[in-house]
Amino acid sequence: MTIDQMLEKTNRVNLLFDFYEPLLTEKQRTFLQLYFHDDYSLGEIAENFAISRQAVYEHIKRAETTLLDYERKLQLLHKHEQRMKLRETLTEVLGDCEPGLQRKAAELFDTIVGIG
C-alpha cells in the first residue's frame, strides 16, 4: 500500500468515525481514536492495554468493518458528500450573481441540508 493509499484510508476511516462514532463500542472508539486520530502504533496501544499487537490489530480491523457496514446500510457519509457536491455546483451557478445573493443562497442551502 502506498503512502497516498494509506493516507486516503486514514482519512476515510476518520470521516466514517465522525459519522458513526456513537454506534461503536467504547473499545472500538478508543482503539480507532488512538490509532487513526492520535497516530499511536499497534505496539503502543498494545502496551497501554496490556494485550498483544495482534489483538489490537483485530479490534481495529473489526471496528473498521463495522464502520464500513454502517456506511453500506445508512450511507450517511455518501449523502453528505453528495450534498457538498451540490453546494459546490450551486456556488458555481451563482458565481456571476452579486456576493450578497451568493452568501444568502449558501446560507439557505446549508440550513436546508443541516450543515450550518
Side-chain angles (χ1 to χ4, degrees), residues 46-64:
E47 187 176 315
N48 287 337
F49 288 88
I51 60 176
S52 69
R53 287 179 77 249
Q54 183 65 31
V56 172
Y57 175 80
E58 289 173 9
H59 282 297
I60 290 171
K61 280 316 225 182
R62 229 175 286 125
E64 284 180 62

Side-chain angles (χ1 to χ4, degrees), residues 10-11 17-19 23 28 30 41 43-44 46 50-51 59 70 78 82 97 101 106 110-112:
T10 297
N11 288 339
F17 185 80
D18 289 344
F19 279 92
L23 302 176
Q28 288 173 326
T30 300
S41 69
E44 290 170 322
I51 60 176
H59 282 297
Y70 285 140
H78 175 72
Q82 285 181 318
C97 296
L101 179 58
D110 290 351
T111 300
I112 290 169

Side-chain angles (χ1 to χ4, degrees), residues 12-31:
R12 183 84 174 155
V13 169
N14 283 329
L15 285 170
L16 290 171
F17 185 80
D18 289 344
F19 279 92
Y20 302 111
E21 177 184 1
L23 302 176
L24 298 173
T25 66
E26 184 178 339
K27 187 178 279 190
Q28 288 173 326
R29 283 193 303 270
T30 300
F31 283 19

Side-chain angles (χ1 to χ4, degrees), residues 60-72:
I60 290 171
K61 280 316 225 182
R62 229 175 286 125
E64 284 180 62
T65 300
T66 299
L67 288 174
L68 292 171
D69 192 43
Y70 285 140
E71 177 60 15
R72 184 179 55 75

